[in-house]
Amino acid sequence: MTRISLSRFRLGALFGAAALAAAACGEDITLPDPVFENNIDTITLYALRGTEIQLSSAFDIVNDATVRTDLSQPFDFVFDIDPEGTPQLGAATLVGVTNAAGLIVSEEPFDQVLSAPEVEYESSEPFPIVEGMTLIGQSRGEDQACSLGPLPRYGKFLVLSIDATARSVTLQTLVNRNCGYRGLQPGLPEA
């Protein structure tokens, strides 16, 4: 690198660090314009235990996709049924994946959750789930292509059905794939 390019690199890194510090302190930062529209979808996940390995047991909020845990793809939360028969959703840390993803249970029904709250998301304990329950998820922060640094994405998830025989859960989802945006309504989100 030349001195000029190194100086520009340092200046860019300084501004990036300042933006992250402001975000960490709870100050407003200017987010880039949203690119992805929020859409409602339906997915099915299969328990980590007692199902075929090729079935998806995890969900990746960043890419709004179901994921197989055996393929070393990044993911944010997993579905399982514990030995007592309790279906549960939990952050990826439950299976040894270290990231900042987490979940919370919403007191509001799915349609009334308009924005992801600014709270600490649970990353170490799974949530027992029942049909009709709504959860809100925060994605991992690292390994993301956000112009302002590793900002999370958010989503909301409604438990539509649990099939004990197939060992599966069907979820209604709405994921906001725009870096740092918390809006959880259909369409192009606002900051």
Side-chain angles (χ1 to χ4, degrees):
M1 283 185 157
T2 66
R3 283 184 172 230
I4 293 172
S5 64
L6 184 57
S7 296
R8 286 184 182 164
F9 174 77
R10 287 182 178 154
L11 184 60
L14 179 64
F15 282 121
L20 287 175
C25 293
E27 296 179 24
D28 290 333
I29 58 173
T30 302
L31 296 172
D33 290 337
V35 178
F36 303 104
E37 285 196 23
N38 298 341
N39 296 303
I40 295 176
D41 198 2
T42 302
I43 63 164
T44 300
L45 297 175
Y46 296 85
L48 283 167
R49 294 175 275 194
T51 62
E52 298 293 325
I53 191 104
Q54 73 271 14
L55 298 173
S56 296
S57 297
F59 190 78
D60 174 4
I61 294 173
V62 173
N63 295 300
D64 192 10
T66 60
V67 175
R68 288 175 48 178
T69 56
D70 65 314
L71 297 179
S72 299
Q73 296 174 337
F75 55 90
D76 298 300
F77 67 83
V78 296
F79 170 69
D80 199 12
I81 298 176
D82 72 11
E84 290 77 38
T86 305
Q88 48 192 225
L89 286 175
T93 54
L94 299 176
V95 292
V97 176
T98 304
N99 65 30
L103 292 165
I104 58 171
V105 175
S106 173
E107 295 181 13
E108 300 290 329
F110 184 87
D111 292 338
Q112 292 180 16
V113 175
L114 305 179
S115 180
E118 294 185 40
V119 297
E120 188 168 332
Y121 288 73
E122 177 60 50
S123 62
S124 60
E125 294 296 324
F127 290 102
I129 57 171
V130 295
E131 291 178 4
M133 175 183 268
T134 297
L135 296 102
I136 302 169
Q138 173 184 284
S139 75
R140 62 201 180 276
E142 73 278 355
D143 301 327
Q144 297 189 27
C146 294
S147 62
L148 295 176
L151 297 173
R153 275 59 165 231
Y154 297 91
K156 61 181 178 179
F157 308 90
L158 171 64
V159 180
L160 294 175
S161 64
I162 299 168
D163 185 331
T165 304
R167 300 181 64 79
S168 67
V169 61
T170 300
L171 302 170
Q172 181 174 309
T173 69
L174 184 144
V175 172
N176 189 336
R177 293 180 54 209
N178 298 284
C179 297
Y181 280 76
R182 293 179 177 273
L184 296 176
Q185 300 176 65
L188 204 57
E190 297 179 11

